[in-house]
Amino acid sequence: MGLMHRVMGIVNVTPDSFSDGGAFLDPRAAIAHGYRLVAEGAAILDIGGESTRPGAAPVDEATELRRIVPVFEGLADTGAQLSIDTVKPAVARAAIERGATLVNDVSGLRRAPELAALAAEHGCELCVMHSIGDPLTMQRDPHYDDVVSEVKAFLEDRLAFAVAEGVPQERVLLDPGIGFGKTIDHNLQLLQRLDEIVAIGCRVVIGTSRKSFLGTIAGRDVDQRLGGTIATNVMALERGSSVFRVHDVAPVADALAVAAATLAGRWPPTTT
Ligand code: HH2
């Protein structure tokens, strides 16, 4: 449990991301940031050119391509795995041609089901995240009878679809989509019972970094949510998550290394 965890550093090439919008819109700044995250311990860089924060306006394909292409080219030699955070096949394809080996789809193959065949064709990994609606509408009074079992059923269905499209199960990663069409209690129940998502049998990605429920609980602005980010990532590790998507790589990587060693009761933790 908690073995072989990997930190995914976030590179947002956007003017409007909720916590770092505009900071890395210049490709040179995004590339420098990516190098820094790898030096801090990121094994994966997740590069995105469209914000998915609640209420974000959609971005057209040409704009998204213009943002991400130079960043993929500039980060080709970091040694980290490159991930493309998009719902658009043309954007995913351009990233794959420039070294991306993970396609991260926050729509869970709802917007463009053909992303699964694209990943299969290129031998890429595919992260399927649960969300409802789209970023403009998803936080309008989301309702579930049992959020954990409904998210689990969605992810199982999407996994079956991805496998039918030719992506081997071991290349599929699942993500409950913290903050995507979820109230604060939905987020907390998904984290509390994350082992039920892990039980599906795929690696699980978790993304809580700086999200608003952390600010609500702790009474913190978006730039002061590292404590909450660490707490939730450590608890997700304990429940079996494998990939941790964060902005603040160095402190989260330290926390996860210590937590993993503690779970193992030894250091280095056994890696079988
Ligand atoms: N969260 C965000 C974006 N992409 N991908 C996965 N797999 N899981 C997540 O939880 C997730 C994600 C939102 O965070 P961020 O990229 O910081 O903000 P924005 O969407 O505003 O660019």
Side-chain angles (χ1 to χ4, degrees), residues 224-236:
Q224 296 177 333
R225 296 179 185 161
L226 180 56
T229 298
I230 290 173
T232 46
N233 278 282
V234 165
M235 295 191 81

Side-chain angles (χ1 to χ4, degrees), residues 7 33-43 246-254:
V7 176
H33 187 59
Y35 269 93
R36 186 166 79 231
L37 297 184
V38 174
E40 290 182 5
V246 295
H247 303 86
D248 306 286
V249 167
V252 176
D254 286 2

Side-chain angles (χ1 to χ4, degrees), residues 49 59-71 88-95 98:
V59 167
D60 65 70
E61 189 176 289
T63 303
E64 199 176 332
L65 280 168
R66 186 163 41 75
R67 289 177 183 169
I68 63 108
V69 162
V71 177
K88 297 188 184 73
V91 175
R93 187 178 290 278
R98 289 164 182 82

Side-chain angles (χ1 to χ4, degrees), residues 6-72:
R6 298 198 300 158
V7 176
M8 172 189 261
I10 300 170
V11 180
N12 283 325
V13 196
T14 56
D16 56 346
S17 286
F18 75 95
S19 79
D20 55 5
F24 310 112
L25 189 56
D26 176 346
R28 285 164 306 181
I31 293 162
H33 187 59
Y35 269 93
R36 186 166 79 231
L37 297 184
V38 174
E40 290 182 5
I44 310 167
L45 292 175
D46 188 40
I47 300 157
E50 177 175 44
S51 174
T52 53
R53 77 180 153 72
V59 167
D60 65 70
E61 189 176 289
T63 303
E64 199 176 332
L65 280 168
R66 186 163 41 75
R67 289 177 183 169
I68 63 108
V69 162
V71 177
F72 273 90

